[in-house]
Amino acid sequence: MNKVQRKIGSKIGPIYLVASSEALYGVLWEKEPGITPEPQNAPQRALLDKTERQITEYLAGERKVFDVPLALEGTDFQKRVWERLSKIPYGETRAYKDIAKELKDPNASRAVGTANGRNPISLIIPCHRVIASDGTLGGYAGGLSIKARLLSLEQAEKRK
């Protein structure tokens, strides 16, 4: 399978998209080593264009749900966590322990945090919506300032 990546500029900084012609593999904050930059006329172009458009709409407060095909690469546990993250409603947050309980493993908060941190499809699988039980933001691959901006954007749009 031939994956390529595209760097996009956004109001929160550079984002790297990784895709095949069939599915999106990554929405990353740093360049993925070993993945070829998108060549001109790449078969992945349509999917990358659609993803870029949807991320731009999301960051403008015009989109709450993404509809691009995803290819999740991870352990079974990570995939279960990411599936659960995908169900957190726009503008809401959950604690790591809440996700662990929803997965019927209440002692797995740390494992949920680790899986959350390894989410390869940021924004679309909304790992930024997971916070610590005390209400602090916890970590985020894109940095805490970006996590705070994403949560503020969603909460402001939800109030409208």
Side-chain angles (χ1 to χ4, degrees):
M1 167 181 349
N2 190 20
K3 292 190 255 182
V4 300
Q5 70 183 311
R6 175 190 290 180
K7 179 181 178 182
I8 63 172
S10 77
K11 68 185 203 175
I12 58 172
I15 298 172
Y16 295 86
L17 307 178
V18 177
S20 69
S21 56
E22 293 85 34
L24 184 68
Y25 284 80
V27 176
L28 308 168
W29 302 104
E30 295 180 3
K31 184 178 180 180
E32 182 74 12
I35 304 289
T36 310
E38 176 190 16
Q40 233 168 351
N41 300 318
Q44 300 87 345
R45 173 158 280 170
L47 179 57
L48 290 166
D49 287 347
K50 181 178 183 178
T51 304
E52 182 174 358
R53 183 174 51 256
Q54 289 189 13
I55 287 172
T56 300
E57 292 167 354
Y58 165 78
L59 293 173
E62 299 166 357
R63 174 174 290 277
K64 293 177 175 55
V65 177
F66 294 88
D67 65 355
V68 294
L70 306 178
L72 299 176
E73 296 180 320
T75 67
D76 289 342
F77 181 77
Q78 288 170 333
K79 290 176 185 178
R80 286 179 46 224
V81 170
W82 300 334
E83 177 64 31
R84 187 60 211 116
L85 299 180
S86 296
K87 292 179 168 59
I88 301 172
Y90 181 92
E92 295 184 21
T93 58
R94 298 289 183 274
Y96 297 102
K97 71 176 184 176
D98 297 331
I99 303 297
K101 286 178 189 173
E102 290 170 11
L103 294 172
K104 302 194 182 344
D105 194 351
N107 296 318
S109 295
R110 285 182 189 249
V112 166
T114 299
N116 195 54
R118 292 197 175 125
N119 171 19
I121 306 180
S122 294
L123 300 177
I124 294 174
I125 295 178
C127 53
H128 60 278
R129 295 179 189 156
V130 183
I131 59 172
S133 344
D134 64 3
T136 58
L137 295 185
Y140 189 62
L144 291 181
S145 64
I146 290 176
K147 183 173 187 168
R149 287 176 67 185
L150 295 172
L151 292 172
S152 286
L153 166 79
E154 290 187 11
Q155 289 163 356
E157 288 301 315
K158 189 174 179 186
R159 284 192 290 269
K160 286 184 181 178

